[in-house]
Amino acid sequence: TMESLEARVQLAGVSMGVGASFGAWLKRRRKMLDLTQDALAVKVGCSVATIQKIESDERRPSRQIAELLAQQLEIPPDERARFVKVARGEWGVDRLADTAPLTVSIPTAPVSLPLPNLPIPPTPLVGRKAELTALTQLLNDPHCRLITLIGAGGMGKTRLAIEVAARQAGSFPDGAYFVSLASFSSPAFLSLAIADALGLKFQGQIEPRAQLLNYLLDKRLLLVLDNFEHLLSGAELLAEIMQCVPHVRLLVTSRERLNLAGEWVFEIRGLPVPMTEDERLPENSAIQLFAQCATRARSDFTLKAVEYEAAVRICQLVEGMPLGIELAASWVRVLSCSEIVREIENSLDFLATAARHVPERHRSLRAVFEHSWNLLPPGERELLRQLAIFHGGFRREAAEHVAGATLSDLMALVDKSLVRRTQTGRYDLHEVVRQYALAHLAVDRSAEAAVRERHSAYFLRLVAAREKAVRSAAQAETIRELMDEIDNIQAAWNWAVEHDRIALFGPAVRGLGVLYELIGWLCEGIEQLELAARSLQKQSDSTER
């Protein structure tokens, strides 16, 4: 009815010119919506004490909390920027009386308002400012109609997609809709999943896909399609939507790119990992996420300065992976940060949770990897097992010699977010992926030995071949090349010495010695050469017998 519509619109309106403070206004607004402080705290993902302090004007909300407050208090999308400015104190309280009330007009005829179906995140988003800015720019680009957020499992693709959709929902007259695809086993259900999210019911004998396209024809909306990697053969439906529906935008999360014309790929990696000596350590997003999750796990937890080093190490061990950080933080209930570090260093299988709200595929880092592993064809599984042998990354040539990888093989794994290509042209694996792929390699001892021997032979030949160059006018360039591979070189040397492969490490002795001398690693050089000497002595003793 018109009366109920007016009530809804009145409830959605905001009058910032009423009241002496933001806290007082917030309290009135909360009560108008029949929310307790506890209920609002749960919706925003903060403590009740935080809401109490904001309402009593003891503190200002962070920008993230202010944005979540705007969403939960039903502030109209086009007024939320103003709301945040007032909440943050960027507009003084003394200006509120001079500010025109934030209102929405009451329509004169019944309208069909889109029902929002975006999930309400249980916690505020930490970090990702650069990603949010970039994705907002893409969504505002009329030429960009399909964005695929790709990244390994546990990187926070879903959380980021929901956040950007919530922030941009006001730009789409017909709303933003979230389609969860994790539970669908076949691309045949894709049309049904989208229709269900839109509230569309298929009727009659017309093909569901045609009904969906017809329904979307005059819509201006954003579709967020989450967890698409196991339904890639159904991506042709997205191509049809792009071809037939002019004003629908698609934001897809996937561990693998869709390979569609017009697809804009946006890669998501871990949060920036802090350095111990960073003077602004408390502002680092990885550390902030750890502290936030730890506080939720144990309400009296405080990240003290003496524990910063251990917290930094935790973030480094999982390379900023949000899921890894969250799983690690959950253990503060029974372990100190230093103890958590030791457990992770012993085994990444330690990072697991029994929390009921967490999807099965995210309850441990092993589950995250196994989900991706099960989607791989046998040939790519075998290649990934062998690439896990590299330490500190590798070049394309090394992958070809050691694992038989072609350029197209590498690109296939890059597209699946299992191998990363760096700005320098090297490739590497996220440490979580590397460790689990290595565990799969270790199942076949003979295959593992063969790969390790090829790895050792390749890098020790490289050292031997660069012996003259490292003494020449090309010294600086050669040292740079060898230092890029120093982790692989040391692993190759240690394996050859440990297995008494004199034919492998013998020709590299002088080259390695010169390198260590030039870079000032004298102690390391002596240690490595002593290991080789013991191997030679053992070989000699065996021959004499």
Side-chain angles (χ1 to χ4, degrees):
T1 65
M2 190 62 195
E3 290 76 11
S4 63
L5 183 59
E6 288 180 1
R8 285 182 63 185
V9 175
Q10 182 178 4
L11 190 63
V14 185
S15 178
M16 298 302 294
V18 179
S21 72
F22 175 76
W25 177 90
L26 177 64
K27 185 175 181 179
R28 286 197 299 272
R29 180 68 174 179
R30 172 176 60 77
K31 289 184 175 180
M32 182 190 303
L33 293 170
D34 197 25
L35 290 172
T36 63
Q37 289 180 332
D38 293 55
L40 182 57
V42 169
K43 286 177 174 291
V44 173
C46 67
S47 66
V48 177
T50 297
I51 298 296
Q52 291 171 341
K53 289 180 179 180
I54 294 173
E55 289 190 350
S56 62
D57 294 309
E58 292 181 36
R59 62 174 289 183
R60 291 282 183 181
S62 67
R63 182 167 296 278
Q64 292 171 338
I65 289 180
E67 289 168 348
L68 287 169
L69 283 170
Q71 180 180 345
Q72 298 307 322
L73 296 175
E74 301 183 11
I75 308 302
D78 59 342
E79 304 292 359
R80 290 180 184 177
R82 172 185 280 180
F83 174 89
V84 171
K85 286 181 179 292
V86 175
R88 294 283 295 148
E90 296 171 14
W91 282 6
V93 175
D94 58 333
R95 293 186 57 188
L96 291 181
D98 299 326
T99 302
L102 304 183
T103 59
V104 293
S105 59
I106 300 175
T108 57
V111 295
S112 176
L113 298 177
L115 298 175
N117 86 323
L118 294 177
I120 300 175
T123 58
L125 181 69
V126 176
R128 301 299 193 192
K129 182 177 180 180
E131 290 89 340
L132 285 169
T133 300
L135 286 169
T136 298
Q137 291 174 345
L138 287 179
L139 284 175
N140 290 327
D141 185 339
H143 301 294
C144 177
R145 299 192 47 222
L146 166 62
I147 304 172
T148 305
L149 302 186
I150 69 166
M155 287 301 175
K157 300 183 296 296
T158 299
R159 181 66 184 84
L160 180 59
I162 292 172
E163 185 74 19
V164 73
R167 295 187 182 200
Q168 291 298 302
S171 301
F172 296 89
D174 293 305
Y177 295 85
F178 182 84
V179 185
S180 177
L181 301 172
S183 61
F184 291 89
S185 59
S186 169
F189 297 108
L190 189 54
S191 294
L192 178 62
I194 296 174
D196 186 59
L198 293 170
L200 170 65
K201 304 299 182 183
F202 294 136
Q203 298 177 348
Q205 301 299 314
I206 301 176
E207 184 185 7
R209 179 177 299 213
Q211 292 188 54
L212 174 62
L213 293 173
N214 185 60
Y215 175 83
L216 292 173
L217 190 60
D218 61 347
K219 296 295 187 293
R220 294 176 179 267
L221 56 80
L222 173 66
L223 279 178
V224 181
L225 304 170
D226 189 45
N227 290 300
F228 206 94
E229 60 271 357
H230 61 297
L231 302 175
L232 291 176
S233 59
E236 62 183 35
L237 173 61
L238 306 191
E240 282 191 71
I241 291 175
M242 293 175 65
Q243 291 171 0
C244 305
V245 182
H247 301 299
V248 168
R249 298 290 183 91
L250 303 171
L251 180 59
V252 180
T253 74
S254 176
R255 299 189 187 188
E256 182 175 355
R257 66 188 301 159
L258 310 184
N259 284 321
L260 292 177
E263 176 186 20
W264 295 55
V265 177
F266 193 98
E267 184 178 7
I268 306 300
R269 295 196 176 188
L271 295 171
V273 176
M275 301 299 294
T276 303
E277 64 272 15
D278 188 350
E279 295 180 359
R280 304 181 66 184
L281 192 58
E283 298 178 20
N284 177 270
S285 55
I287 291 295
Q288 286 181 345
L289 178 61
F290 178 82
Q292 181 191 94
C293 295
T295 303
R296 288 201 300 271
R298 201 186 85 200
S299 60
D300 63 343
F301 176 85
T302 301
L303 184 57
K304 300 176 182 177
V306 294
E307 292 189 296
Y308 272 149
E309 184 177 352
V312 166
R313 182 60 181 150
I314 289 169
C315 296
Q316 291 172 341
L317 287 170
V318 298
E319 295 188 20
M321 176 188 285
L323 177 62
I325 293 173
E326 291 175 15
L327 293 174
S330 69
W331 285 96
V332 299
R333 292 173 296 172
V334 292
L335 298 174
S336 69
C337 291
S338 297
E339 289 173 322
I340 293 173
V341 168
R342 288 195 292 272
E343 292 292 339
I344 297 174
E345 289 178 334
N346 182 54
S347 173
L348 281 170
D349 279 340
F350 165 75
L351 294 176
T353 181
R356 295 183 179 89
H357 70 283
V358 179
E360 190 68 36
R361 67 185 186 281
H362 279 175
R363 290 192 178 179
S364 70
L365 291 195
R366 175 172 291 279
V368 169
F369 175 74
E370 291 294 343
H371 180 71
S372 293
W373 180 263
N374 291 333
L375 294 174
L376 291 176
E380 291 180 10
R381 290 186 190 180
E382 179 57 33
L383 176 58
L384 189 62
R385 290 199 319 158
Q386 296 188 42
L387 293 177
I389 209 73
F390 291 101
H391 297 257
F394 53 91
R395 297 196 66 83
R396 171 186 167 189
E397 296 80 7
E400 182 179 354
H401 282 83
V402 175
T406 65
L407 182 59
S408 59
D409 291 333
L410 290 174
M411 286 301 98
L413 292 178
V414 168
D415 287 345
K416 292 177 173 63
S417 305
L418 293 170
V419 171
R420 304 178 297 198
R421 189 175 189 275
T422 69
Q423 292 181 344
T424 62
R426 292 173 63 80
Y427 297 87
D428 68 5
L429 280 68
H430 190 285
E431 185 59 21
V432 172
V433 175
R434 196 185 77 82
Q435 286 204 25
Y436 284 117
L438 203 58
H440 279 276
L441 178 63
V443 171
D444 187 339
R445 294 295 183 183
S446 60
E448 180 185 12
V451 176
R452 290 191 180 279
E453 181 142 6
R454 291 197 299 271
H455 176 272
S456 182
Y458 177 83
F459 286 103
L460 294 181
R461 280 199 301 267
L462 176 66
V463 172
R466 298 295 185 270
E467 180 187 345
K468 291 183 179 179
V470 84
R471 302 173 186 268
S472 70
Q475 183 182 89
E477 180 183 345
T478 305
I479 289 177
R480 206 161 35 242
E481 176 191 8
L482 294 176
M483 289 305 295
D484 283 345
E485 304 291 0
I486 194 64
D487 291 337
N488 282 310
I489 290 171
Q490 290 180 324
W493 176 272
N494 291 336
W495 187 88
V497 169
E498 181 183 346
H499 291 82
D500 301 321
R501 299 293 204 273
I502 298 174
L504 294 181
F505 71 76
V509 169
R510 294 182 63 179
L512 191 63
V514 172
L515 175 64
Y516 280 164
E517 180 182 355
L518 290 173
I519 64 176
W521 289 15
L522 296 179
C523 292
E524 290 85 350
I526 292 171
E527 181 182 335
Q528 295 296 323
L529 293 176
E530 285 178 346
L531 290 175
R534 284 199 289 271
S535 177
L536 289 169
Q537 184 62 50
K538 184 169 62 174
Q539 186 86 354
S540 176
D541 293 344
S542 176
T543 302
E544 289 178 2
R545 293 194 197 96

